[in-house]
Amino acid sequence: MAMSGGRRGGGVLGGRSEATAVSSAAPGAAGTKPPVPGQGTGERRRARRSAARRVRSGRYSAFYLSPALLIFLIFTIGPAIFVFYISFFHWNLLDQAQSRFRGVGNYTKLFTSHEFWHSIVVSCYFVALSVGLSVIVGLGLALLLSSAGVVKKIVRLAVLSPYFTPVVATSIVWIWILNPQFGLLDDLLRMLHLPQPSWLLSPTWAMPA
C-alpha cells in the first residue's frame, strides 16, 4: 500500500513537473516573446509624433523658401509670361489701347528674317569659341600648373594676374593691342610683311578678336 501510494504520488509530481516544463518551454520553442502591455500603443504614438515632426519641417521649409520663390515669380516668371502674351500683339508702349492683335504674325516675320538666323549663327559661333577655348586653355594651364620648376611660377602668375587687374584696365590694354593704327599686334604683322586686318571694325575679325 505504501509503495502504491508512493508510486501514485510520484506519478502526480512527475506529471506536474512535465506539464510545467512543457508550458515554460512552449514560448521559447515558438521563438516569440509574450506581448508587453501597451507596446503597440507606444509605437503608434511614436509614428504619429514622427509624422507630425515631418509636417512641421515641411511647413518651416516652405516658410523659409517663400521669399525667394516670391521674388522668382515676380521678377522672372511674371515678366516671361507677360512677354509671351504681348508677342502676339503689335504692342504700343506709349498707348496700350492702340495695340493690335497679330496672332503668329510676329513669329512668322521673325523666322523669315535673315537677321534672325544670322544672329543665331553668330551666337552659336561665339559660344563654340568661348566654351571650347576656355576648356582647352583651362586644361592646358592645369597641366602646366601640375608641373614643377620655373614654368609653374610663370603660369601661376599669368593665371592670377587677371584677378589683380581691374576689368576696365584689361579692356583698355586689349583695345590698344588690337588698334588698327598703332596697335602692337598690327605693328608686329607689319614687321613680318603680313596683312593687318581691322580687328575690331571688320565683321570677319571682330568676333575672333
Side-chain angles (χ1 to χ4, degrees):
M1 292 293 291
M3 293 177 61
S4 62
R7 289 177 181 175
R8 282 197 294 269
V12 172
L13 291 175
R16 289 179 181 178
S17 61
E18 291 177 359
T20 304
V22 170
S23 61
S24 62
T32 58
K33 296 182 180 181
V36 179
Q39 184 177 5
T41 306
E43 292 179 355
R44 286 194 294 269
R45 288 178 181 175
R46 285 193 295 271
R48 285 196 297 267
R49 290 175 183 174
S50 178
R53 193 179 299 111
R54 286 195 297 268
V55 170
R56 286 196 300 269
S57 177
R59 290 176 181 175
Y60 291 152
S61 301
F63 175 74
Y64 291 132
L65 288 174
S66 57
L69 292 176
L70 186 62
I71 293 174
F72 181 73
L73 288 174
I74 292 176
F75 294 101
T76 303
I77 301 298
I81 295 175
F82 181 70
V83 168
F84 180 73
Y85 168 73
I86 67 176
S87 66
F88 296 98
F89 291 83
H90 182 75
W91 196 258
N92 192 332
L93 295 176
L94 301 178
D95 188 5
Q96 298 180 7
Q98 297 182 3
S99 301
R100 300 189 308 274
F101 181 74
R102 294 196 58 184
V104 295
N106 291 331
Y107 291 98
T108 304
K109 184 178 179 180
L110 177 68
F111 289 118
T112 56
S113 173
H114 173 71
E115 288 80 7
F116 171 73
W117 293 109
H118 178 68
S119 65
I120 294 294
V121 172
V122 171
S123 300
C124 295
Y125 177 60
F126 175 77
V127 170
L129 278 182
S130 59
V131 175
L133 287 179
S134 299
V135 172
I136 295 173
V137 173
L139 181 60
L141 291 176
L143 294 175
L144 288 175
L145 284 174
S146 63
S147 61
V150 183
V151 179
K152 181 179 181 179
K153 298 180 180 179
I154 296 175
V155 173
R156 182 180 297 176
L157 178 63
V159 170
L160 297 179
S161 59
Y163 295 97
F164 303 145
T165 18
V167 178
V168 177
T170 307
S171 303
I172 292 175
V173 169
W174 275 107
I175 290 175
W176 172 71
I177 292 174
L178 300 175
N179 191 284
Q181 297 178 356
F182 51 83
L184 180 63
L185 185 58
D186 278 355
D187 287 343
L188 181 61
L189 294 175
R190 194 178 297 110
M191 291 173 56
L192 298 175
H193 301 286
L194 296 174
Q196 303 92 39
S198 298
W199 298 102
L200 301 178
L201 302 177
S202 171
T204 306
W205 292 102
M207 184 63 67

